[in-house]
Amino acid sequence: MTAAKATAVKVEEPDEGPRSKRAAILAAAIGKFGKDGYDATKWSTVADQVGIGQTALYHYFESKAHCLLTIMRLELQRSHEMFVKATADQSNAMDALRAAVRGAYAVSEKDVLQMRILQNNLALLAVPRNSKREETERLAARELVHRIESAWTDLLERGMSEGVFERRDAHTLALNMLGMIVSVWRWYRPRGPVTLSSVSELTEDCCVRMVAI
């Protein structure tokens, strides 16, 4: 059973001229939300780090929650694009699965922070927002979640059709596999005792075992 397709939600990315502070605000917010936590971060602290007044933040984001939802949507977009890129030229489903897992861990330290933010705040995507701009970002993020789940489901169904994966409920299997892959970002630290390469190798092996005939 393939995951249901979501209605397309369009987020208009603002034009960023040379004087725009949007990228700097996002970078500062990612650093603070990722290291200190969203709830523990004061919106004014982000402004101080960028070197602007707190009121200037509202020119780019109408609230701290709007900024958070934007970061989450951008991370989901990046993750989906990485999956598509990693699996595009793979001739068989097993190679595509291995490439998809390796691609999920081919990340920068900034990506690690974004993924930690996403995993720690996923519950936010379940609750409608009163603000139109926040709700647009939330709906776009939810659509991307469905796209990612569908892409992994389609990959597993492909392997089952090829006869190289054991026949199971592909969507449920995809959700379990994704849960294992993304749970890493709750505890992984770039300078911690566990290397990302070892995590990638172990997770790839686990995913292969999950589908092995």
Side-chain angles (χ1 to χ4, degrees), residues 93-159:
M94 183 61 80
D95 286 346
L97 175 61
R98 289 183 176 277
V101 177
R102 290 194 295 269
Y105 295 112
V107 295
S108 67
E109 289 193 18
K110 175 175 174 286
D111 297 332
V112 170
L113 290 176
Q114 287 189 168
M115 288 182 287
R116 187 184 305 158
I117 292 166
L118 175 64
Q119 294 309 310
N120 287 341
N121 297 280
L122 269 175
L124 191 67
L125 300 185
V127 182
R129 311 296 298 181
N130 292 326
S131 157
K132 182 178 179 180
R133 294 175 71 188
E134 290 179 15
E135 181 65 358
T136 297
E137 289 286 5
R138 186 188 74 89
L139 291 174
R142 283 174 61 89
E143 179 191 340
L144 284 161
V145 170
H146 288 303
R147 285 188 189 178
I148 290 168
E149 291 174 357
S150 293
W152 281 83
T153 300
D154 290 345
L155 171 56
L156 295 176
E157 287 183 337
R158 171 187 167 190

Side-chain angles (χ1 to χ4, degrees), residues 40-130:
T41 300
K42 292 183 178 180
W43 197 213
S44 59
T45 303
V46 175
D48 291 342
Q49 189 164 328
V50 177
I52 59 177
Q54 186 174 351
T55 55
L57 289 174
Y58 297 101
H59 176 72
Y60 303 96
F61 300 100
E62 65 181 26
S63 64
K64 188 172 77 161
H66 180 209
C67 183
L68 172 63
L69 286 163
T70 299
I71 291 169
M72 295 171 71
R73 189 259 304 170
L74 290 172
E75 171 50 36
L76 286 162
Q77 191 171 299
R78 186 202 65 81
S79 295
H80 183 251
E81 289 170 355
M82 285 301 298
F83 175 90
V84 172
K85 181 179 179 180
T87 59
D89 298 324
Q90 302 301 323
S91 59
N92 63 75
M94 183 61 80
D95 286 346
L97 175 61
R98 289 183 176 277
V101 177
R102 290 194 295 269
Y105 295 112
V107 295
S108 67
E109 289 193 18
K110 175 175 174 286
D111 297 332
V112 170
L113 290 176
Q114 287 189 168
M115 288 182 287
R116 187 184 305 158
I117 292 166
L118 175 64
Q119 294 309 310
N120 287 341
N121 297 280
L122 269 175
L124 191 67
L125 300 185
V127 182
R129 311 296 298 181
N130 292 326

